[in-house]
Amino acid sequence: MEAKFTSNIKKIRKDFNVSQTQLAKEIGFSHGIISLWESGLRIPSADAIIILSRYFQVSADYLLKVTEDSTMLHRADDFVIDVTIFNKRLKELRTNKNLSQEQLAKRAGLTKTSINHWENGKCQPNANAIVALARYFDVSTDYLLGETD
């Protein structure tokens, strides 16, 4: 997944004719972190994915290369993020399948501790975990992140 994301974010940024420095300034991240994402040395967090998808006006699924559909979903100036939506949706999806956190962790290739922390809002998942969970539950990454219903 990392290679897909890094090549896609770089391509989209170049399509928008925006430098790493300019992008960093406009979305509130450092130039260094943008460079790390594009080089594959760092994986973006859930809130970074939402901000990037809103900035570029594409779905998180498209940004993460889960889909080829680049339909615009967001206003570029809307960066208010409610990370509790992810926590609630993850727990709801897990309980609807009657899975324990441990069972979900094994089936999705994650750790029980991570799932517990995500459901309780102690930390955010990275792009790899979001894609793994979306695939396991057969939902879009945009749904998991609260970008669509």
Side-chain angles (χ1 to χ4, degrees):
M1 198 294 300
E2 294 94 341
K4 289 180 182 178
F5 176 82
T6 59
S7 64
N8 207 30
I9 185 62
K10 190 173 189 175
K11 179 194 176 306
I12 294 170
R13 181 181 58 75
K14 288 185 175 190
D15 287 349
F16 269 63
N17 198 26
V18 176
S19 70
Q20 287 181 345
T21 302
Q22 184 181 2
L23 175 61
K25 199 178 282 185
E26 291 183 19
I27 66 171
F29 286 90
S30 71
H31 170 267
I33 196 72
I34 304 291
S35 178
L36 289 170
W37 290 338
E38 288 187 6
S39 66
L41 296 174
R42 197 76 154 316
I43 301 170
S45 64
D47 61 345
I49 293 165
I50 293 170
I51 289 170
L52 287 165
S53 70
R54 289 179 182 183
Y55 178 83
F56 291 120
Q57 298 182 329
V58 297
S59 68
D61 279 346
Y62 178 75
L63 188 67
L64 296 170
K65 283 287 207 176
V66 176
T67 182
E68 295 299 317
D69 180 9
S70 64
T71 305
M72 293 184 184
L73 298 177
H74 316 289
R75 291 187 1 239
D77 61 346
D78 181 12
F79 294 123
V80 177
I81 299 168
D82 183 358
V83 292
T84 62
I85 294 173
F86 172 82
N87 311 24
K88 291 174 188 172
R89 288 192 174 168
L90 174 60
K91 187 170 186 171
E92 180 181 287
L93 288 165
R94 180 181 61 77
T95 56
N96 285 346
K97 285 198 174 239
N98 294 316
L99 296 171
S100 68
Q101 290 177 344
E102 187 172 356
Q103 289 169 321
L104 174 58
K106 285 180 183 176
R107 293 179 186 182
L110 302 165
T111 67
K112 179 185 179 244
T113 301
S114 293
I115 291 172
N116 180 277
H117 285 179
W118 298 332
E119 286 185 2
N120 292 303
K122 293 181 180 175
C123 64
Q124 294 180 23
N126 67 25
N128 290 340
I130 293 166
V131 171
L133 290 165
R135 286 183 177 153
Y136 177 77
F137 288 116
D138 195 26
V139 297
S140 70
T141 57
D142 291 286
Y143 175 78
L144 269 177
L145 295 170
E147 294 296 283
T148 60
D149 290 324

